[in-house]
Amino acid sequence: MTEMLELMKRRRSLRAPYDPGRPVEPEKLAQILEAARWSPTAHNMQNFEIVVVDDPAVLDAIARLERPVSETFVRENHAQLSFSEEELVQRKTGILGTTFPPSWRKPDFKLDELSADEIAAMRRPLLSSPLLLVVVYDPSRRAPASEGDFLGIVSLGCVMENMWLAAESMGVGLHIVSSLSSGGEVKELLGIPARLTIAFSCRLGYPVSAPPPYLRVRREVADFTHRNKYRD
Ligand SMILES: Cc1cc2nc3c(=O)[nH]c(=O)nc-3n(C[C@H](O)[C@H](O)[C@H](O)COP(=O)(O)O)c2cc1C
């Protein structure tokens, strides 16, 4: 158990650029997909498909797609940012503001203020990725009597975590890229039928250089545990 918990704690978002010349070994990719295969899903509906993208031309085309950021994202994101490590430690949730482009750190940021450099910096990680896994949600494989297919959506989280832990256990970096889920361009590029939805995408690989450690915080167990009765 200690080993398992250690792996869970070690798993992290590796947002650094990956070495495009160092592909994820086919046997490691096979293990990551095997981990997805054995994910628990509600009613064992296995409500997902995975598009493996490793063709540099396709990766390049995806990276070059316009990925519009919504004002809502920027506003809500800003509310969750901490601007110092001390603040993050105290809040125990959210992310350090330095992981976002400088202009986003202003509360009154307007999207048209995003500079060409910042746009280029946001695209860079994807451009350098040798492998992208696009996990697709199939709403027709729906768990019975689940309102809004809530259980099906939870199941996709199990797929994500299984793959992430498998990748981490083999030393493969992984970064979730939610922005590829919105808009229809990625679906179109990959020939994903309209009836399916991109649940999440993750890029995998090995960082060009060892990424600096970054502060990761969590609430204490006591903060989210309610014994016998929920307390507000
Ligand atoms: C459903 C989901 C969506 C996420 N989307 C993104 C994303 O678009 N970009 C990103 O950099 N990280 C994304 N993350 C990673 C989280 O920000 C990250 O897991 C969290 O900050 C904790 O950090 P850690 O993964 O290093 O433990 C996502 C994670 C989950 C579970």
Side-chain angles (χ1 to χ4, degrees):
M1 181 56 204
T2 319
E3 253 176 52
M4 194 62 200
L5 205 54
E6 282 312 312
L7 175 67
M8 289 173 183
K9 287 184 183 176
R10 207 168 65 229
R11 179 221 53 78
R12 63 176 204 144
S13 299
L14 224 164
R15 298 186 174 95
Y18 298 158
D19 184 347
R22 192 175 165 203
V24 175
E25 297 82 340
E27 57 281 9
K28 289 191 181 176
L29 171 60
Q31 298 273 41
I32 291 165
L33 295 173
E34 188 68 10
R37 178 181 174 221
W38 285 101
S39 304
T41 55
H43 218 69
N44 194 23
M45 292 309 293
Q46 302 169 52
N47 59 344
F48 63 92
E49 305 289 323
I50 302 179
V51 184
V52 177
V53 188
D54 57 0
D55 178 338
V58 182
L59 287 165
D60 193 61
I62 292 175
R64 284 175 197 290
L65 285 176
E66 287 278 332
R67 279 183 285 148
V69 184
S70 71
E71 295 276 358
T72 313
F73 175 82
V74 174
R75 198 176 50 249
E76 292 185 0
N77 175 56
H78 191 272
Q80 302 309 330
L81 296 183
S82 287
F83 296 93
S84 68
E85 294 203 340
E86 292 72 30
E87 188 187 347
L88 186 60
V89 167
Q90 201 166 23
R91 285 174 77 152
K92 301 184 195 169
T93 61
I95 295 184
L96 208 54
T98 43
T99 52
F100 291 93
S103 64
W104 288 33
R105 295 174 215 163
K106 294 192 294 176
D108 55 350
F109 165 68
K110 298 278 174 301
L111 279 177
D112 53 15
E113 289 173 17
L114 202 61
S115 71
D117 277 358
E118 288 173 327
I119 293 173
M122 284 165 69
R123 289 202 179 139
R124 209 167 295 135
L126 256 184
L127 279 170
S128 72
S129 300
L131 176 65
L132 184 73
L133 299 181
V134 179
V135 178
V136 178
Y137 163 56
D138 181 351
S140 69
R141 297 194 209 182
R142 193 172 175 284
S146 169
E147 206 181 315
D149 200 14
F150 187 72
L151 296 176
I153 292 163
V154 171
S155 304
L156 297 165
C158 297
V159 176
M160 178 192 283
E161 183 70 348
N162 263 24
M163 294 200 302
W164 210 337
L165 289 174
E168 178 63 46
S169 73
M170 297 181 289
V172 178
L174 189 151
H175 173 202
I176 310 287
V177 192
S178 295
S179 60
L180 297 181
S181 306
S182 50
E185 293 93 340
V186 179
K187 271 175 76 173
E188 205 176 307
L189 226 150
L190 298 176
I192 298 169
R195 66 188 166 79
L196 306 177
T197 306
I198 297 180
F200 64 92
S201 308
C202 44
R203 59 184 196 94
L204 294 100
Y206 299 97
V208 181
S209 54
Y214 71 97
L215 180 64
R216 297 171 64 232
V217 296
R218 292 297 192 265
R219 291 182 295 159
E220 303 301 327
V221 170
D223 293 338
F224 58 78
T225 309
H226 307 255
R227 191 139 293 171
N228 299 316
K229 191 173 168 59
Y230 189 92
R231 54 169 173 84
D232 244 340

